[in-house]
Each structure stands twice: as C-alpha cells, then as structure tokens.
Amino acid sequence: MAQTDPLQDILAHLRDSSDLRVWSVIITLMGDLTVMGAPEAKASGVSGQALGQILSSLGIRPEATRVALHRLRKDGWIESTRYGRQSVYHLSQDGRAQTQAVADRVYGPARPAPTQWHLIALAPQVNDDSSFDALMAKGFHELTPGVFLGAGAPPTLPDALSFSDTDIALPDWVRQHLAPQKLRDDIKLLQTAISRLSGEELTGLTTLDRNALRLVLLHEWRRIALRMPELPVEAICPDLQVRDDVHKVLDALGPLQIEPVLA
C-alpha cells in the first residue's frame, strides 16, 4: 500500500496505541457501514475480499481475519452469504441492534453540562436487580456498591435515600472513578495523533488510505467512547474532550468507501 510518510506515521501511532483486536475492528467497520447510511443487512454487507484488503492495510494478517470472522459468526454478531465464489459478511439482526443502541455514544454530540447531580443510595438489604436496572436505564452510574450518581431525574425506588445538588463540580475522587487514568492516557494518545493530521494530508488520499485512516481512528475513538460513563462528564472534564476533534476528522475523511454487495 503506497502511503505518504506522514500518513504512515499516523497510522502506526494509532495502531500502536490502540487495542487492535481483529474481531473488534471488524465490528467497528461493519457498524460504521450500518450507522452511516446502510441499515439493511445486505446493503451494509462487505465482501471477504474488500474486508481482507482494508484489514491488511492495518497490518492484520489474513489468518487472523479468518479466525475473527469465525468467532463473530459463532457468537452471533455476524452472518455470511455466498454469492458464487464470494462470501459477503454483514451484521446479524442482533449485531445491528447492539450497534444502533450505542451509536449515539460514538457518533452523537457530547451531552451538555448538567443542571444538577442526583445521588441515590439504595437500602443495604436491596439485592434485587430491578432497582439497579431502573437506575441504569436512567443513565445512573454506580460510584460505590449501592450508591449511584446521575444527571437526570431519578426513578422512584422504595427505601432509597436521594440527594440533589446544583453544584456541578465533582470531587477529584469521583472524576477519577468515572474516568480512570488509563482512559485519560488513551485520550491523550488519540489527541496527539489527531494533532499530527492536517487538511493537506487528508486531500488526495487514495480510497484505501482514507478507509484505513478512518477505520483505525474510529476504532480507537469507539473504544474510548464506550468506556466513558453515560453521564455528561465531558462537559466538566477538559481532559476528556476529544469528541469534536474526532468528528471533524471523520467528516473530512468521509464515510467508508466500500462498494455494497447486493443480491
């Protein structure tokens, strides 16, 4: 794959700093095809040849790709269809549902700063899952066993102790719990990679170069975004704010250019 030295350096930086588990990269790729305008299974399919080409550009060997595809089929994430000699892979119905469920966390805007925080402490004897599920459904995050933090209106729970505070500043220990150091380090690495990109380097790229850069950048961002709590912490934690920079580069690169395979 012929690449400019700056692009090669950036790809290497992102590959080295990212956890390029092959099965996860494939989910990122297929999820991107689905979210960015190809919701139907066949329309969001990718041939084995096209998939192998783009993964090879990231240094992923064909044997690793085959093993990952086998695992994803076994786990019910993807399905495959044969068209003559060609295998076409796409997300299963469950895979598409799981992808759409977290799409806003990856592709959507950051949540605005909260107007207040709510703290819920469950009674010590509560051991049923319904209270936990109700809090999680409202976007609450468990700080310590039985104690939850949220920004939205809390559900009504029997025997729960509830406090609200309009001071949106969080103590350091809470911010460290919500965003551990490893997450902050990964964000810094991603910010460094993005800072090395310029508009000139994004113009004139081959389709394969664009696909490779978009996929590895999106994969690293997806790993970060899905590790962030479902709370508006980005609005009050400056060292977590990389979302807008990622979205600008993804917009400049455009969607993955992989020809859809239709029956």
Side-chain angles (χ1 to χ4, degrees), residues 2-121:
Q3 294 177 318
T4 63
D5 288 340
L7 180 58
Q8 182 65 48
D9 290 344
I10 291 165
L11 282 173
H13 176 86
L14 287 169
R15 282 196 302 262
D16 293 343
S17 65
S18 181
D19 182 10
L20 283 183
R21 296 184 182 182
V22 184
W23 65 267
S24 184
V25 175
I26 293 173
I27 291 299
T28 298
L29 185 151
M30 293 187 175
D32 197 32
L33 290 174
T34 298
V35 173
M36 297 305 292
E40 298 299 326
K42 292 179 181 177
S44 59
V46 57
S47 70
Q49 180 180 1
L51 182 63
Q53 187 179 41
I54 188 172
L55 294 183
S56 292
S57 71
L58 301 182
I60 296 172
R61 295 177 299 174
E63 309 84 63
T65 299
R66 287 195 292 270
V67 170
L69 288 170
H70 176 75
R71 172 182 175 179
L72 290 170
R73 281 197 303 264
K74 183 178 178 181
D75 291 346
W77 263 100
I78 67 171
E79 297 171 346
S80 62
T81 307
R82 293 286 297 184
Y83 294 107
R85 290 184 170 183
Q86 184 173 234
S87 292
V88 177
Y89 302 93
H90 53 78
L91 292 176
S92 64
Q93 182 176 355
D94 184 58
R96 293 196 305 278
Q98 292 190 58
T99 296
Q100 293 290 357
V102 299
D104 194 54
R105 295 175 64 182
V106 178
Y107 297 90
R111 299 184 181 186
T115 57
Q116 60 184 338
W117 292 109
H118 303 280
L119 199 66
I120 302 288

Side-chain angles (χ1 to χ4, degrees), residues 119-126 131 135 146 148 154-163:
L119 199 66
I120 302 288
L122 299 179
Q125 68 272 18
V126 172
S131 296
L135 286 165
F148 295 79
T156 301
L157 299 173
D159 297 325
L161 184 63
S162 176
F163 291 95

Side-chain angles (χ1 to χ4, degrees), residues 114 116-119 141 143 148-151 165-179 184 229 231-237 240:
Q116 60 184 338
W117 292 109
H118 303 280
L119 199 66
H141 182 88
L143 292 179
F148 295 79
L149 178 71
D165 191 347
T166 54
D167 182 1
I168 64 170
L170 295 175
D172 285 344
W173 73 267
V174 175
R175 290 190 283 113
Q176 286 294 332
H177 176 83
L178 297 176
R184 296 169 189 267
L231 294 172
V233 291
E234 292 171 80
I236 58 174
C237 297
L240 300 184

